[in-house]
């Protein structure tokens, strides 16, 4: 039967649920801001090629987190207007809770939740799964660059798969593109660029360093596609 969860139990079972996912993982939360532990768990699911769907209503992702998620092939995100539900589920269990997928909530707030086991409460699990699927269907699937997914003909006309403004497309490349050019995944490229001093990292976010500015790296903040970094096409790592 369903089990009541307090704050610590909710966090514990959420982590166990993510680690235990072997086929699918659905994360529905109005707020999306990932701590290091959550990134580690999701990256592992991506390596195992687990189908992960994240639905959110508001995002507080930093540019480097956006770039990090873009490198995870098996994680798809959707935006749902007026989302207030918080529900997390894999193929065997479901958690309906007050807990946002938001690092502040996981550390500071008092939360409650209900754990539903498919093997014990099959109909209840089915009802929650069907509602989660409905929320996914009414959501707008988005690229992690915060660009809405477009039809194939329209997307093919873009200068870059991230939707870079055409004014920049001819002489500079996004982090994902320059990473591909250097034979690296986006997250690998960003880590290397940080190690070599092109970024400054304060423990939470990356900012462009004087060295990065000197070689012509640009941080674009005002864009309908969200903020992103642009790199000279001849950029290389030592």
């Amino acid at each position: 039967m369903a089990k009541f969860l307090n704050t610590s139990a909710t966090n514990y079972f959420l982590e166990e649920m993510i680690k235990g996912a072997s086929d699918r993982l659905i994360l529905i939360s109005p707020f999306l801001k990932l701590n290091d532990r959550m990134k580690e768990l999701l990256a592992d699911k991506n390596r195992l090629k687990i189908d992960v769907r994240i639905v959110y209503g508001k995002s507080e992702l930093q540019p480097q987190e956006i770039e990090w998620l873009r490198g995870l092939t098996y994680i798809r995100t959707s935006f749902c207007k007026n989302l207030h539900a918080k529900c997390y589920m894999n193929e065997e269990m479901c958690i309906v809770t007050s807990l946002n997928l938001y690092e502040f909530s996981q550390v500071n707030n008092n939360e409650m939740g209900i754990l539903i086991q498919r093997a014990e409460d099959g109909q209840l699990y089915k009802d929650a799964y069907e509602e989660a699927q409905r929320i996914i269907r009414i959501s707008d699937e988005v690229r992690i660059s915060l660009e809405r997914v477009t039809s194939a003909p329209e997307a093919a006309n873009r200068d870059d798969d991230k939707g870079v403004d055409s004014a920049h497309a001819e002489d500079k490349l996004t982090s994902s593109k320059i990473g591909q050019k250097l034979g690296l995944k986006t997250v690998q490229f960003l880590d290397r660029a940080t190690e070599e001093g092109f970024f400054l990292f304060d423990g939470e976010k990356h900012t462009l360093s004087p060295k990065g500015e000197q070689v012509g790296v640009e941080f674009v903040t005002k864009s309908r596609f969200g903020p992103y970094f642009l790199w000279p096409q001849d950029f290389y790592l030592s």
Side-chain angles (χ1 to χ4, degrees), residues 207-222:
T207 55
L208 194 57
S209 70
K211 182 178 179 180
E213 294 176 349
Q214 186 176 6
V215 299
V217 183
E218 182 181 356
F219 179 48
V220 180
T221 56
K222 294 182 179 180

Side-chain angles (χ1 to χ4, degrees), residues 94-186:
C94 170
I95 298 173
V96 179
T97 177
S98 60
L99 178 73
N100 283 294
L101 200 63
Y102 179 70
E103 60 182 8
F104 183 88
S105 295
Q106 297 174 49
V107 175
N108 297 286
N109 291 347
N110 293 305
E111 308 288 353
M112 291 185 182
I114 297 295
L115 174 67
I116 304 167
Q117 299 279 3
R118 184 180 184 182
E120 298 177 2
D121 292 290
Q123 185 59 51
L124 188 57
Y125 175 92
K126 181 175 181 291
D127 291 342
Y129 179 76
E130 289 179 351
E131 180 62 15
Q133 289 297 314
R134 186 192 70 82
I135 290 175
I136 290 173
R137 287 195 300 272
I138 66 172
S139 302
D140 293 321
E141 187 175 344
V142 296
R143 302 189 192 281
I144 294 300
S145 61
L146 307 185
E147 167 196 355
R148 285 192 179 187
V149 171
T150 58
S151 61
E154 181 180 350
N157 291 328
R158 297 195 184 279
D159 294 301
D160 183 271
D161 64 351
K162 189 175 184 297
V164 175
D165 296 332
S166 59
H168 299 283
E170 294 183 1
D171 58 348
K172 292 191 176 181
L173 300 175
T174 61
S175 299
S176 61
K177 287 295 186 181
I178 199 70
Q180 291 174 14
K181 185 177 179 180
L182 298 174
L184 299 170
K185 293 183 178 179
T186 304

Side-chain angles (χ1 to χ4, degrees), residues 6 11 16 40 61 68-70 76 87 92 94-95 98 119 124 129 159 165 167 194 196 205-206 212 214 227 229:
N6 61 16
N11 281 285
E16 291 300 304
E40 179 183 300
L61 292 178
W68 176 79
L69 276 169
R70 289 190 75 239
R76 292 181 291 166
C87 177
E92 296 298 334
C94 170
I95 298 173
S98 60
L124 188 57
Y129 179 76
D159 294 301
D165 296 332
T194 302
E196 296 190 15
K205 64 181 180 180
H206 293 79
Q214 186 176 6
F229 293 100

